Amino acid sequence: MPELLKPTGLTNEIRKDHNAMRAIAGHTQVKPDKREEAQRGLADDMNKLPAGVNNLGLKIDTESNVITDALNFTPPTIQWRESVQPRDDGTFIGARAKIYQKEATLGNWAIVYEKVEDAKAALACMNKACKSIDVKVPDPVKIAVKLFNDQTKKPLNRGEKIKAITDKLSKKEYENVSIFFIILEKRVADQVYDNVKDHCQKVLGKQSQFFSNMTKKEDLSVMTNVILGMAVKLGINIYQIPKVPGMNTNKKDSVMLVGADICHLNGRDSVVSVIATSNSTYTTYYSASAFTNHRGDDLMFAVANLVQRCRANYVKQNGHEPGTIIFYRDGIGMGSYDEVKAKEIAPILQELTSKAANPEVVPKLTYIIVNKRINDRFYTEVRGELKNPEGGLIIKSAVTNPMGFDFFMVAQKVQMGTATPTHYECLYNDSTLSSDQLYIQSYYSCFNYFNWRGPVKVPAVVQYAHKQAELLARSTPRRKN
């Protein structure tokens, strides 16, 4: 009976109420010492249960959760034009350093705007910000868009705004533009973002960068990050992470990193996205996606073909096969592992073998499930006080699977609440990579997400795959029942 049902979750009104969210955070963002205190209290209460209640005489050992052989890797040195050592929390000040690639330029770019004053302010700020990072910003092609109806004296509706922008960008006179820098009010940008970005990518084959942060106060740091984002989209190498010893030194030990995710949105086809590195420094990427009719099913039925496309691109760019493919697959439940082996791993192996130019040179495969939604928590004890671990913590025993290979990693230093680790479980591996190499590569890869100057929670290829799958799913029309 609908009248007896009660909605759950937080409404948009509650989410916008800062006082309410602060009060909720007091219960959800529990610090390590308070969390441990509550857990020990529960264990003590259970240990004190009388024999009549605890018929089996079970006891909880409150010291059984101590792990003594955890690893803690230090953040890698980030190579901009000069080496930059990250802070203790893993973040690095690369936004103020010259980028790794010399003589970089935005080339033939365009600025798209509704208000001419916003365009002028953005250009003035960009011309100042670009000097500190040594990226040349030539005079852009200027494209004004009209999002107001002169007859009705009212703004265009959402569909009309999308059409006005996409029609303007599709004009033949702009076919040589490499990237569109689109400045709109945040309210308008939120309405058109998915569709305009999708049109630029899929129809025009061009990059786009939205910006809706124009204020009266000039913010060079924000604009610096915008320029860096545009540079990355144009294939400019802004920084590099160090190579893992014994990896990417020659053809035989070359490694292609692959990240895969699937996105489900109500009423739309599910989208499988795969992102793969295409060079030995992990600074260029290739993406491949597919829509699937298996809506709501977390299995990636099209993944083998997508991996083959990534592998073909790697061969085209490098002139040789990758020695090993490390495949990071965004989380799926343990109950589906057998299906993953049958419907994802087996087809990938078959595709790699059947499409090999030389049967004796087939890439090895390391297939790893990456799970973020887990209940495990780890703290470190510092002078008798429990704290969140520094970034780079690896848990490889005690709570891992003794019959296989898996580990937990905390890549970031968390300041609020208790850090949630990421669980990595290897379902298939025929490579010669050592466990230490996989630990280090997985950690270092968290620093390769160019939208953030520090580590993210998962390897960058997984984060990129997630972003692309979500973008494509949101920009796809809903299916009619």
Side-chain angles (χ1 to χ4, degrees):
M1 297 177 64
E3 57 269 22
L4 297 181
L5 298 177
K6 293 185 178 180
T8 60
L10 302 179
T11 63
N12 290 332
E13 289 73 19
I14 295 176
R15 293 181 187 279
K16 293 177 182 178
D17 187 333
H18 296 296
N19 292 328
M21 293 305 293
R22 192 180 301 112
I24 292 172
H27 298 278
T28 59
Q29 297 177 354
V30 183
K31 290 186 175 295
D33 55 346
K34 296 296 183 182
R35 183 182 292 270
E36 176 70 4
E37 182 181 325
Q39 290 172 340
R40 283 183 176 271
L42 176 62
D44 289 340
D45 289 343
M46 294 181 70
N47 288 339
K48 293 175 183 177
L49 289 174
V53 177
N54 186 2
N55 295 326
L56 299 177
L58 297 177
K59 298 290 183 182
I60 298 176
D61 181 3
T62 56
E63 301 300 323
S64 63
N65 60 347
V66 178
I67 299 173
T68 58
D69 62 347
L71 303 176
N72 209 324
F73 294 107
T74 57
T77 299
I78 309 300
Q79 189 62 50
W80 293 72
R81 191 76 56 82
E82 297 179 353
S83 297
V84 174
Q85 187 60 42
R87 302 184 181 99
D88 291 340
D89 62 358
T91 58
F92 47 90
I93 56 174
R96 302 188 197 124
K98 288 181 171 60
I99 66 168
Y100 183 83
Q101 183 173 323
K102 297 180 179 179
E103 299 181 359
T105 176
L106 296 187
N108 188 28
W109 68 291
I111 185 168
V112 184
Y113 57 91
E114 182 183 12
K115 298 178 180 178
V116 67
E117 59 269 23
D118 286 348
K120 289 180 178 179
L123 285 173
C125 191
M126 290 179 83
N127 287 327
K128 291 181 181 179
C130 68
K131 296 175 182 177
S132 64
I133 55 177
D134 196 23
V135 176
K136 294 179 181 178
V137 180
D139 290 337
V141 176
K142 296 179 176 66
I143 304 175
V145 293
K146 190 174 182 180
L147 305 179
F148 194 84
N149 189 316
D150 290 329
Q151 294 180 345
T152 62
K153 306 298 182 184
K154 293 181 179 180
L156 302 179
N157 62 39
R158 178 177 177 273
E160 291 170 335
K161 288 175 182 174
I162 293 170
K163 187 176 187 305
I165 296 173
T166 54
D167 285 353
K168 197 67 176 279
L169 301 187
S170 300
K171 288 190 173 183
K172 188 173 180 60
E173 60 190 290
Y174 305 131
E175 64 182 1
N176 292 325
V177 169
S178 55
I179 184 169
F180 295 108
F181 179 50
I182 304 170
I183 303 178
L184 297 171
E185 292 182 1
K186 188 176 188 312
R187 173 180 53 82
V188 178
D190 289 343
Q191 290 179 323
V192 305
Y193 178 88
D194 291 339
N195 297 84
V196 171
K197 206 164 187 67
D198 187 59
H199 180 82
C200 289
Q201 184 178 24
K202 292 199 295 190
V203 178
L204 304 180
K206 300 183 185 300
Q207 298 290 346
S208 59
Q209 176 73 48
F210 272 76
F211 186 65
S212 57
N213 199 33
M214 287 309 302
T215 61
K216 293 181 180 179
K217 183 180 178 181
E218 188 179 70
D219 194 334
L220 291 180
S221 63
V222 171
M223 192 56 75
T224 299
N225 284 328
V226 169
I227 297 173
L228 289 173
M230 294 173 69
V232 169
K233 291 175 181 179
L234 292 173
I236 295 171
N237 186 358
I238 64 172
Y239 68 79
Q240 292 182 181
I241 59 172
K243 292 182 179 180
V244 176
M247 295 171 63
N248 287 310
T249 61
N250 54 53
K251 294 180 182 180
K252 189 175 181 179
D253 65 22
S254 60
V255 174
M256 182 175 80
L257 303 181
V258 178
D261 195 10
I262 186 167
C263 182
H264 312 291
L265 290 181
N266 290 337
R268 296 179 171 93
D269 285 340
S270 299
V271 179
V272 178
S273 279
V274 172
I275 303 290
T277 57
S278 55
N279 63 358
S280 62
T281 55
Y282 307 143
T283 54
T284 59
Y285 296 83
Y286 179 85
S287 64
S289 300
F291 293 89
T292 172
N293 292 326
H294 302 271
R295 286 193 288 170
D297 193 334
D298 281 336
L299 290 173
M300 300 180 181
F301 292 92
V303 73
N305 177 260
L306 301 181
V307 172
Q308 168 56 27
R309 287 164 56 186
C310 294
R311 177 253 204 117
N313 174 73
Y314 185 96
V315 174
K316 180 180 178 182
Q317 299 296 326
N318 298 275
H320 63 84
E321 294 273 9
T324 300
I325 297 174
I326 302 179
F327 187 101
Y328 294 105
R329 200 258 199 228
D330 197 59
I332 190 169
M334 188 178 296
S336 300
Y337 281 3
D338 287 340
E339 286 188 288
V340 168
K341 292 175 183 178
K343 297 178 181 178
E344 294 184 18
I345 298 176
I348 290 175
L349 292 171
Q350 183 179 3
E351 196 80 6
L352 293 177
T353 303
S354 63
K355 298 294 175 62
N358 182 350
E360 297 182 359
V361 186
V362 178
K364 303 298 183 183
L365 177 66
T366 300
Y367 191 103
I368 298 175
I369 300 290
V370 181
N371 263 316
K372 304 184 293 291
R373 295 173 182 155
I374 58 177
N375 295 319
D376 306 80
R377 299 292 185 272
F378 301 101
Y379 343 115
T380 56
E381 189 172 10
V382 181
R383 292 186 290 275
E385 184 179 355
L386 294 178
K387 294 186 176 182
N388 279 319
E390 303 288 337
L393 178 72
I394 301 288
I395 303 296
K396 60 184 180 66
S397 66
V399 289
T400 56
N401 180 7
M403 304 300 292
F405 173 66
D406 68 317
F407 60 94
F408 294 87
M409 180 171 69
V410 179
Q412 305 163 301
K413 183 175 181 179
V414 175
Q415 306 292 351
M416 300 176 64
T418 304
T420 303
T422 302
H423 184 227
Y424 296 75
E425 183 151 12
C426 184
L427 293 193
Y428 180 88
N429 181 29
D430 63 359
S431 77
T432 58
L433 296 175
S434 69
S435 57
D436 283 345
Q437 285 177 312
L438 289 172
Y439 299 148
I440 297 172
Q441 184 62 77
S442 300
Y443 177 49
Y444 281 10
S445 295
C446 295
F447 287 80
N448 238 16
Y449 186 65
F450 295 116
N451 281 347
W452 172 244
R453 306 292 168 258
V456 290
K457 194 170 183 178
V458 295
V461 285
V462 179
Q463 188 71 6
Y464 288 134
H466 170 76
K467 296 282 284 186
Q468 176 163 283
E470 187 176 48
L471 174 64
L472 291 175
R474 286 205 311 258
S475 61
T476 303
R478 290 180 181 273
R479 276 189 171 194
K480 294 181 179 179
N481 292 329

